[in-house]
Amino acid sequence: MGRLFKQVKSRRLLEKSFRKVREHAVASLSRSTRQALAEFEKDLFSSIDKLQKRLGKQDFQFSPQRGIAKRKANSSGYRPLVVAPFEDRIIQRAILEVLITAVPAVRGVMSTPTSIGGIPGRGVKSALELVTDSIARGARYYARSDIEGFFTKIPKSLVKDFLRAHVKDQEFLRLFDGALETELENLDELAEHRSLFPLGEDGVAQGSALSTLAGNIVLAEFDRVLNGRNILCVRYVDDYILLGPDEIRVKKAFESSQELLRKFQMRAYSPWADEEKADHGPVASGFSFLGCDIKPSIKLIQPGRKARLKIIHDIQAIFAETLKALAEALSAGYPVDRRQCYAQVMVRVNGMVSGWAHAFQFCNCISTFESLDHEIDKAVSRFNREFKRLFEPASLRAIRRFLGVQLLQEVSSGIPIGDWPPR
């Protein structure tokens, strides 16, 4: 058994990978994802043990995934998301951890200073610091774009060849190859959307822990060539921005980026032709990048409009889902799922708000945050009113259950000793 494969299979790494996957699952709006998490961590030791045994089988294979054609915001198009079974996501994460910690060539790709997405220790704040620093040093013009259908066009063969040139552990390479493939269990359900998914030679699953790394490997030359000669190119996965002294030089840099992408049958939306998908102009006029609105003239950075609307929409969706589940349970007379109880739902909403706040903590727009707090206050108040109305006729015990406070008499006492307690 090779050294890298042993690392993937180790309990320490599988537990660490579980914790990373759990972070996303807890905040997920998908009930099936949250249920899979709850099932896995019922007996975490046993679940990790089963993963180790599964990896130890010579005929190990990843399970088929589920494809979701998600409609893009403010668009008639769809985004092909791929959701792997919960256990497979943990294994994919463990593979990623080994690659970025134990393979020098991968660490070299990750060290590119202007590549931000999927790099440990870097995030939107890192990208915006590069952008604002470039403006402070004299950049006066920008062009922002993203790569059309990026994940569906990543050449898997190039990624695999790159690893084979630097990794000799054959078991690990076979595991990586399997993790990179896309096999969907619900192709018939997807109907006309099935062609969106990466089922052939090219393309990786959007949603996999390994997809961003694959993209960073493929675009390593892109990042290197486009920076220099008074041009800065900051790339966050498939979004990138070019900054330079004037429109002529920025436009020339964008044309160079298109030439580099054509090697992989990719293209970016033209800021001069696809104004809905891309943008360009003097930096002094302000611009958007990575979900943030940037106004250099007044030194303002704030969450973009889409991000602000989404956090309110997601909170409202959680409250609506909860009220529906509680009403159904009350009407049918069956126990409520504890995850839908008041206390647990409030913890979940708090986690979502805290995560959003952490993502935008570098923004300096107090009035924007105050306005959002006002909207969240209204959503919480509305939920409280509906909750109270729903349970006004219920008994105190029923209300306690739905609040999420455990009833002692409903806790199993296990195996009785002798004849005690009496029947």
Side-chain angles (χ1 to χ4, degrees):
M1 186 182 295
R3 176 179 62 87
L4 299 183
F5 186 82
K6 280 183 179 178
Q7 288 184 39
V8 172
K9 194 170 172 286
S10 71
R11 176 171 289 277
R12 179 196 64 80
L13 188 54
L14 289 174
E15 288 177 349
K16 179 181 178 182
S17 300
F18 161 73
R19 290 192 294 272
K20 291 294 288 186
V21 173
R22 186 184 188 281
E23 288 177 13
H24 297 284
V26 166
S28 175
L29 292 177
S30 166
R31 181 179 295 183
S32 61
T33 294
R34 299 195 306 273
Q35 288 173 340
L37 166 63
E39 187 65 31
F40 190 88
E41 62 181 356
K42 270 184 185 176
D43 186 348
L44 185 56
F45 186 91
S46 175
S47 297
I48 296 293
D49 188 55
K50 288 177 183 176
L51 265 188
Q52 285 186 302
K53 289 178 180 176
R54 186 178 159 206
L55 282 167
K57 294 181 179 179
Q58 288 188 344
D59 60 346
F60 169 83
Q61 288 185 333
F62 286 93
S63 301
Q65 303 123 315
R66 184 166 187 80
I68 300 173
K70 185 175 181 179
R71 185 182 288 276
K72 295 179 180 178
N74 303 318
S75 170
S76 59
Y78 289 83
R79 179 177 293 106
L81 300 180
V82 177
V83 180
F86 191 80
E87 292 84 355
D88 287 3
R89 282 180 254 175
I90 297 171
I91 297 172
Q92 290 171 345
R93 183 72 207 187
I95 294 170
L96 177 64
E97 289 288 333
V98 170
L99 285 169
I100 63 180
T101 59
V103 179
V106 172
R107 290 204 302 272
V109 169
M110 307 286 271
S111 67
T112 304
T114 55
S115 174
I116 307 299
I119 312 293
R122 298 183 198 169
V124 173
K125 180 183 179 182
S126 308
L128 296 186
E129 284 175 345
L130 289 172
V131 168
T132 54
D133 180 63
S134 177
I135 294 171
R137 288 186 288 107
R140 294 291 176 265
Y141 207 87
Y142 76 94
R144 174 190 56 78
S145 185
D146 70 89
I147 303 167
E148 182 181 0
F150 177 59
F151 289 106
T152 63
K153 296 177 180 178
I154 291 173
K156 289 194 289 280
S157 59
L158 190 153
V159 179
K160 293 176 182 179
D161 289 346
F162 174 85
L163 281 189
R164 275 172 170 70
H166 301 284
V167 173
K168 303 306 176 187
D169 185 336
Q170 295 303 310
E171 285 178 291
F172 178 83
L173 289 171
R174 280 194 295 272
L175 187 67
F176 175 83
D177 289 354
L180 214 59
E181 294 300 322
T182 303
E183 179 187 351
L184 301 182
E185 65 178 14
N186 63 325
L187 272 178
D188 291 340
E189 290 178 29
L190 293 170
E192 73 272 16
H193 300 307
R194 62 193 298 171
S195 61
L196 299 174
F197 292 83
L199 302 174
E201 292 282 328
D202 292 334
V204 296
Q206 185 171 353
S208 166
L210 295 168
S211 297
T212 300
L213 172 63
N216 286 340
I217 289 172
V218 168
L219 294 186
E221 181 188 12
F222 179 97
D223 296 327
R224 185 175 63 254
V225 171
L226 288 177
N227 280 284
R229 298 185 296 254
N230 220 10
I231 291 290
L232 174 74
C233 174
V234 179
R235 182 178 63 84
Y236 195 107
V237 192
D238 55 341
D239 291 309
Y240 68 100
I241 189 168
L242 295 157
L243 293 123
D246 52 56
E247 182 176 8
I248 292 174
R249 277 177 278 193
V250 169
K251 190 171 186 179
K252 185 176 180 181
F254 178 77
E255 290 167 354
S256 296
S257 76
Q258 292 284 54
E259 290 178 16
L260 291 164
L261 291 172
R262 273 194 287 271
K263 294 181 180 180
F264 312 114
Q265 286 71 56
M266 297 179 185
R267 68 175 286 270
Y269 296 104
S270 170
W272 288 268
D274 298 304
E275 293 184 0
E276 290 186 5
K277 300 284 189 179
D279 193 19
H280 71 100
V283 298
S285 301
F287 56 95
S288 298
F289 185 50
L290 301 180
C292 292
D293 293 337
I294 304 159
K295 297 181 180 179
S297 59
I298 56 175
K299 298 183 179 179
L300 176 72
I301 299 177
Q302 67 176 359
R305 183 171 181 273
K306 286 183 180 179
R308 301 197 301 269
L309 291 175
K310 186 176 187 304
I311 183 63
I312 301 300
H313 172 271
D314 288 350
I315 291 170
Q316 291 172 339
I318 289 176
F319 285 154
E321 174 193 351
T322 299
L323 290 169
K324 180 182 177 183
L326 293 178
E328 289 174 353
L330 193 64
S331 174
Y334 55 72
V336 68
D337 183 340
R338 281 189 63 81
R339 288 166 295 183
Q340 297 287 3
C341 292
Y342 185 94
Q344 287 73 18
V345 167
M346 284 302 181
V347 168
R348 186 174 159 210
V349 168
N350 179 64
M352 178 178 291
V353 174
S354 297
W356 192 93
H358 178 75
F360 291 103
Q361 63 181 332
F362 52 84
C363 292
N364 57 357
C365 49
I366 300 299
S367 61
T368 300
F369 290 134
E370 287 177 348
S371 176
L372 285 171
D373 274 333
H374 180 64
E375 292 300 314
I376 295 170
D377 288 344
K378 289 197 295 186
V380 172
S381 178
R382 193 179 306 115
F383 176 71
N384 283 337
R385 288 197 305 271
E386 290 298 310
F387 184 91
K388 183 179 179 181
R389 182 189 60 77
L390 197 60
F391 293 105
E392 274 180 344
S395 68
L396 289 175
R397 289 288 174 88
I399 291 173
R400 179 171 155 185
R401 288 189 188 96
F402 285 89
L403 283 172
V405 180
Q406 178 70 58
L407 281 169
L408 298 179
Q409 66 188 38
E410 293 178 350
V411 178
S412 173
S413 60
I415 301 173
I417 301 174
D419 294 325
W420 186 262
R423 294 178 183 272

